Amino acid sequence: MTVLEINKKIDDCFNQAVALNKNGDYQGAIDKLKEAGNLCFALAKQAPSEKDFAIKRINNYSKIIEGIKVKMAQKPKTEKGIASEKSSTNSTTEETETSLKISTATGVTFDDVVGLDNAKKIINSECVFYFKHPEIFEKFKHKPAKAILLYGVPGTGKTMFAKAVASEVDAPFVHISAKEIKDKYVGESEKNISKIFEEIKKFKYAIIFLDEAEEILGVRGKDNNSVINDSMVTNFLKVIDGFDSGNNFLFIAATNMPSNIDPAILSRCRYKINITLPNEEARSKIIEKQLKGVPLAKDLTYEYIAKATPKYSGRDLENLCGEITTYPIERYKQAMLIKGEGNVEDTDYVSYITKEDVIEAIRNVPSSANPEAERQIYEYEKSLPEKEK
């Protein structure tokens, strides 16, 4: 199987485990999670660049299995589902009847986010510290930010950054998909929004993340569907303004087109943070993370690859490293045709990454940078007050 096929099968096994667990078939859920874990081992062996992520998945599945075993021993009558809002150690993701994805263990921390030091500083000062020490905010009557906008060109890691925020404050991560709640019928989208936030009220605190925010929080009165759009924006404004009513929520909206977000929503976002393309130093660290342990030619360094990849996003670099590692595998396969399976030694083929491999991979996997998206970000930042840039 290809890496893509293995990843898809892992996801299928996990989704089946979730369904079996919700239906009370705990042993079936455990078996599926074990199958997913075995596939992760196969993935790590086949694609070294996937090793760290595969190990995280395996550890996460092990914790979930232990949680299910505890539940089997206690035989609860009412509690269902792998995820529990009370614990972040034995849980992962739960889907509610409104298709709301609630994760209590995102598996991503700020250590996994390369660069973005200013963004991390803002979050640590304004959000993480508040969630851990609300009493000092109350003492000085300082109201923490209730909404933040993350913007930037596609592939820079806005979702990953939001997940890391949830981990830093040990809060449930609620991922809202704009496409799932948007409805062409007037009134239905508003109902979906209300249902979603009713679900969220079950938690004492949570990080609420809305991706592709421009889909449902666009500038009111701008297009032919303005009646539907206006109603959704108004509903979200009510929700955000109601965050002070006991629950500690942080609403994070992410977009590639900040200029398309309604001004009233933007005014609620105390911070507008540009999740930028990684600079050369950050690219080098991302590449090192992807290729750590993979043998390189003596004249090849992570810095060399970073210098050769300007305008590459984090996602672009992951794809590039995936392409780079295919070349020595192909050389191994060719050597195996000659030497026979099980007889290939490292001296029988070029068993490391070469500069030529990197050059070829860059030719095949160019940067996905979109000049129009960059122009929109530039124009938006020009419109910001100096203190918000």
Side-chain angles (χ1 to χ4, degrees), residues 15-32:
N15 290 333
Q16 290 174 45
V18 172
L20 289 167
N21 186 63
K22 286 184 177 181
N23 291 329
D25 185 354
Y26 299 138
Q27 187 56 52
I30 289 173
D31 291 343
K32 278 297 174 183

Side-chain angles (χ1 to χ4, degrees), residues 15 45 122 125 143 145 240 255 263 276 304 353 365-366:
N15 290 333
K45 188 176 181 180
I122 291 172
S125 175
K143 292 185 178 181
I240 296 171
T255 181
T276 59
Y304 171 87
I353 307 296
V365 185

Side-chain angles (χ1 to χ4, degrees), residues 184-249:
K184 64 180 179 179
Y185 299 108
V186 178
E188 290 303 310
S189 294
E190 298 90 314
K191 290 177 184 177
N192 286 338
I193 293 169
S194 298
K195 286 178 183 177
I196 283 171
F197 284 96
E198 282 301 313
E199 292 282 351
I200 293 170
K201 285 181 181 178
K202 295 177 182 178
F203 297 95
K204 182 179 178 181
Y205 50 85
I207 303 299
I208 305 161
F209 178 69
L210 174 66
D211 201 5
E212 297 180 322
E214 70 281 355
E215 286 286 331
I216 55 177
L217 299 180
V219 178
R220 285 173 285 185
K222 190 174 181 179
D223 55 37
N224 294 331
N225 294 322
S226 61
V227 174
I228 301 172
N229 181 72
D230 292 1
S231 185
M232 286 191 291
V233 173
T234 301
N235 211 323
F236 258 97
L237 289 171
K238 288 179 181 178
V239 170
I240 296 171
D241 290 342
F243 279 179
D244 287 319
S245 58
N247 297 72
N248 294 320
F249 299 141

Side-chain angles (χ1 to χ4, degrees), residues 5-24:
E5 288 171 339
I6 295 175
N7 272 310
K8 186 178 185 305
K9 192 157 181 63
I10 291 170
D11 290 339
D12 288 343
C13 287
F14 176 73
N15 290 333
Q16 290 174 45
V18 172
L20 289 167
N21 186 63
K22 286 184 177 181
N23 291 329

Side-chain angles (χ1 to χ4, degrees), residues 155-199:
T156 51
K158 294 181 283 295
T159 301
M160 183 180 183
F161 186 83
K163 286 182 175 180
V165 173
S167 292
E168 291 297 316
V169 299
D170 194 24
F173 178 75
V174 183
H175 191 163
I176 302 174
S177 170
K179 291 180 180 177
E180 286 180 6
I181 66 172
K182 191 173 184 179
D183 196 290
K184 64 180 179 179
Y185 299 108
V186 178
E188 290 303 310
S189 294
E190 298 90 314
K191 290 177 184 177
N192 286 338
I193 293 169
S194 298
K195 286 178 183 177
I196 283 171
F197 284 96
E198 282 301 313
E199 292 282 351

